[in-house]
Short mmCIF file of all heavy atoms in Angstrom, two decimals:
data_model
loop_
_atom_site.label_atom_id
_atom_site.label_comp_id
_atom_site.label_asym_id
_atom_site.label_seq_id
_atom_site.Cartn_x
_atom_site.Cartn_y
_atom_site.Cartn_z
N GLY U 1 79.28 111.37 107.37
CA GLY U 1 79.67 112.76 107.16
C GLY U 1 80.32 112.97 105.84
O GLY U 1 80.02 112.29 104.82
N ALA U 2 81.24 113.94 105.76
CA ALA U 2 81.92 114.34 104.52
C ALA U 2 83.39 114.50 104.78
O ALA U 2 83.83 114.66 105.88
CB ALA U 2 81.28 115.65 103.98
N PHE U 3 84.14 114.46 103.70
CA PHE U 3 85.60 114.65 103.80
C PHE U 3 86.09 115.48 102.58
O PHE U 3 85.42 115.56 101.52
CB PHE U 3 86.35 113.30 103.84
CG PHE U 3 86.25 112.46 102.57
CD1 PHE U 3 87.15 112.63 101.55
CD2 PHE U 3 85.24 111.56 102.42
CE1 PHE U 3 87.06 111.84 100.39
CE2 PHE U 3 85.12 110.78 101.29
CZ PHE U 3 86.03 110.93 100.29
N ALA U 4 87.23 116.08 102.79
CA ALA U 4 87.93 116.83 101.71
C ALA U 4 89.43 116.59 101.90
O ALA U 4 89.91 116.53 103.04
CB ALA U 4 87.63 118.28 101.78
N GLY U 5 90.13 116.37 100.80
CA GLY U 5 91.56 116.07 100.93
C GLY U 5 92.34 116.70 99.86
O GLY U 5 91.85 117.27 98.87
N LEU U 6 93.72 116.57 100.06
CA LEU U 6 94.70 117.09 99.10
C LEU U 6 95.70 116.02 98.79
O LEU U 6 96.18 115.34 99.71
CB LEU U 6 95.39 118.34 99.67
CG LEU U 6 94.59 119.58 99.91
CD1 LEU U 6 95.39 120.60 100.71
CD2 LEU U 6 94.06 120.13 98.63
N ASN U 7 96.04 115.89 97.54
CA ASN U 7 97.11 114.98 97.15
C ASN U 7 98.43 115.73 97.28
O ASN U 7 98.79 116.57 96.49
CB ASN U 7 96.97 114.53 95.70
CG ASN U 7 95.66 113.77 95.46
OD1 ASN U 7 94.77 114.18 94.70
ND2 ASN U 7 95.47 112.65 96.16
N ILE U 8 99.16 115.40 98.37
CA ILE U 8 100.47 116.04 98.58
C ILE U 8 101.49 115.57 97.56
O ILE U 8 102.30 116.33 97.06
CB ILE U 8 100.95 115.80 100.02
CG1 ILE U 8 99.91 116.31 101.02
CG2 ILE U 8 102.31 116.44 100.26
CD1 ILE U 8 100.24 116.01 102.44
N SER U 9 101.47 114.26 97.29
CA SER U 9 102.38 113.65 96.32
C SER U 9 101.73 112.34 95.85
O SER U 9 100.58 112.05 96.21
CB SER U 9 103.73 113.36 96.98
OG SER U 9 103.62 112.35 97.99
N ASP U 10 102.46 111.57 95.07
CA ASP U 10 101.92 110.27 94.61
C ASP U 10 101.78 109.29 95.78
O ASP U 10 101.02 108.32 95.71
CB ASP U 10 102.88 109.63 93.60
CG ASP U 10 102.91 110.37 92.26
OD1 ASP U 10 101.88 111.13 92.05
OD2 ASP U 10 103.85 110.29 91.55
N ASP U 11 102.48 109.59 96.91
CA ASP U 11 102.41 108.66 98.02
C ASP U 11 101.58 109.13 99.20
O ASP U 11 101.02 108.29 99.94
CB ASP U 11 103.88 108.44 98.55
CG ASP U 11 104.81 107.92 97.47
OD1 ASP U 11 104.36 107.11 96.64
OD2 ASP U 11 106.00 108.34 97.49
N PHE U 12 101.48 110.44 99.38
CA PHE U 12 100.82 110.97 100.58
C PHE U 12 99.63 111.84 100.24
O PHE U 12 99.61 112.60 99.25
CB PHE U 12 101.83 111.85 101.36
CG PHE U 12 102.91 111.04 102.04
CD1 PHE U 12 104.14 110.90 101.44
CD2 PHE U 12 102.65 110.47 103.28
CE1 PHE U 12 105.14 110.17 102.10
CE2 PHE U 12 103.68 109.77 103.93
CZ PHE U 12 104.89 109.61 103.33
N ASP U 13 98.56 111.68 101.05
CA ASP U 13 97.38 112.53 101.01
C ASP U 13 97.16 113.04 102.44
O ASP U 13 97.54 112.42 103.43
CB ASP U 13 96.12 111.76 100.61
CG ASP U 13 96.22 111.23 99.18
OD1 ASP U 13 97.01 111.74 98.38
OD2 ASP U 13 95.48 110.27 98.91
N ILE U 14 96.53 114.26 102.49
CA ILE U 14 96.06 114.75 103.79
C ILE U 14 94.56 114.98 103.65
O ILE U 14 94.11 115.51 102.63
CB ILE U 14 96.76 116.05 104.21
CG1 ILE U 14 96.38 116.44 105.61
CG2 ILE U 14 96.61 117.17 103.23
CD1 ILE U 14 97.20 117.54 106.23
N GLN U 15 93.85 114.54 104.66
CA GLN U 15 92.36 114.56 104.56
C GLN U 15 91.77 115.15 105.80
O GLN U 15 92.15 114.80 106.94
CB GLN U 15 91.89 113.14 104.34
CG GLN U 15 90.35 113.00 104.19
CD GLN U 15 89.95 111.64 103.70
OE1 GLN U 15 90.27 111.20 102.56
NE2 GLN U 15 89.20 110.93 104.51
N MET U 16 90.80 116.03 105.68
CA MET U 16 90.02 116.61 106.75
C MET U 16 88.59 116.07 106.63
O MET U 16 88.06 115.88 105.54
CB MET U 16 90.03 118.14 106.68
CG MET U 16 91.39 118.76 106.88
SD MET U 16 91.35 120.58 106.74
CE MET U 16 91.03 120.81 105.00
N GLU U 17 87.99 115.88 107.78
CA GLU U 17 86.64 115.23 107.82
C GLU U 17 85.71 115.99 108.76
O GLU U 17 86.19 116.57 109.77
CB GLU U 17 86.70 113.77 108.21
CG GLU U 17 87.60 112.95 107.26
CD GLU U 17 87.84 111.57 107.83
OE1 GLU U 17 87.21 111.13 108.81
OE2 GLU U 17 88.70 110.85 107.24
N LEU U 18 84.45 115.91 108.48
CA LEU U 18 83.44 116.46 109.39
C LEU U 18 82.35 115.38 109.39
O LEU U 18 81.70 115.14 108.44
CB LEU U 18 82.86 117.78 108.86
CG LEU U 18 81.66 118.34 109.65
CD1 LEU U 18 82.04 118.69 111.07
CD2 LEU U 18 81.13 119.59 108.91
N LYS U 19 82.16 114.78 110.61
CA LYS U 19 81.22 113.63 110.65
C LYS U 19 80.56 113.53 112.01
O LYS U 19 81.05 114.05 113.01
CB LYS U 19 81.96 112.33 110.34
CG LYS U 19 83.07 111.99 111.31
CD LYS U 19 83.91 110.78 110.90
CE LYS U 19 84.93 110.40 111.91
NZ LYS U 19 85.80 109.26 111.50
N TYR U 20 79.41 112.88 112.00
CA TYR U 20 78.70 112.47 113.18
C TYR U 20 79.09 111.04 113.55
O TYR U 20 79.09 110.19 112.68
CB TYR U 20 77.22 112.57 112.95
CG TYR U 20 76.33 111.92 113.98
CD1 TYR U 20 76.05 112.51 115.18
CD2 TYR U 20 75.76 110.64 113.73
CE1 TYR U 20 75.24 111.93 116.14
CE2 TYR U 20 74.94 110.07 114.67
CZ TYR U 20 74.68 110.67 115.82
OH TYR U 20 73.88 110.07 116.79
N ILE U 21 79.40 110.82 114.87
CA ILE U 21 79.83 109.51 115.27
C ILE U 21 79.26 109.18 116.66
O ILE U 21 79.13 110.05 117.51
CB ILE U 21 81.36 109.41 115.30
CG1 ILE U 21 81.85 107.95 115.54
CG2 ILE U 21 81.97 110.36 116.29
CD1 ILE U 21 83.31 107.77 115.30
N GLN U 22 78.80 107.92 116.81
CA GLN U 22 78.27 107.45 118.04
C GLN U 22 79.31 106.63 118.82
O GLN U 22 79.88 105.71 118.25
CB GLN U 22 77.02 106.62 117.79
CG GLN U 22 75.85 107.43 117.24
CD GLN U 22 74.66 106.58 116.98
OE1 GLN U 22 74.70 105.36 116.81
NE2 GLN U 22 73.45 107.21 116.96
N LYS U 23 79.48 106.90 120.09
CA LYS U 23 80.40 106.20 120.93
C LYS U 23 79.73 105.81 122.22
O LYS U 23 78.60 106.21 122.48
CB LYS U 23 81.66 107.04 121.20
CG LYS U 23 82.42 107.48 119.93
CD LYS U 23 83.65 108.25 120.27
CE LYS U 23 84.37 108.71 118.98
NZ LYS U 23 85.67 109.41 119.29
N GLY U 24 80.43 105.11 123.10
CA GLY U 24 79.87 104.80 124.41
C GLY U 24 80.24 103.37 124.87
O GLY U 24 81.24 102.81 124.50
N SER U 25 79.37 102.84 125.73
CA SER U 25 79.61 101.53 126.36
C SER U 25 78.28 100.84 126.58
O SER U 25 77.22 101.50 126.77
CB SER U 25 80.33 101.79 127.71
OG SER U 25 80.50 100.55 128.42
N TYR U 26 78.35 99.52 126.63
CA TYR U 26 77.11 98.75 126.85
C TYR U 26 77.46 97.43 127.54
O TYR U 26 78.45 96.81 127.24
CB TYR U 26 76.36 98.40 125.52
CG TYR U 26 75.17 97.56 125.70
CD1 TYR U 26 74.00 98.05 126.22
CD2 TYR U 26 75.24 96.17 125.39
CE1 TYR U 26 72.90 97.22 126.44
CE2 TYR U 26 74.18 95.32 125.60
CZ TYR U 26 72.91 95.91 126.09
OH TYR U 26 71.87 95.07 126.31
#
């Protein structure tokens, strides 16, 4: 998928993502 983020400071970032993901059990 894709992501977009913001540098809040030199130490912290906040990131939003939109992605396709496969889960389940086998």
Side-chain angles (χ1 to χ4, degrees):
F3 66 90
L6 295 171
N7 299 119
I8 301 175
S9 67
D10 292 338
D11 303 324
F12 288 96
D13 297 339
I14 185 169
Q15 182 168 295
M16 296 179 290
E17 301 170 9
L18 174 62
K19 62 187 183 183
Y20 166 78
I21 187 169
Q22 294 180 335
K23 303 183 180 184
S25 176
Y26 174 76

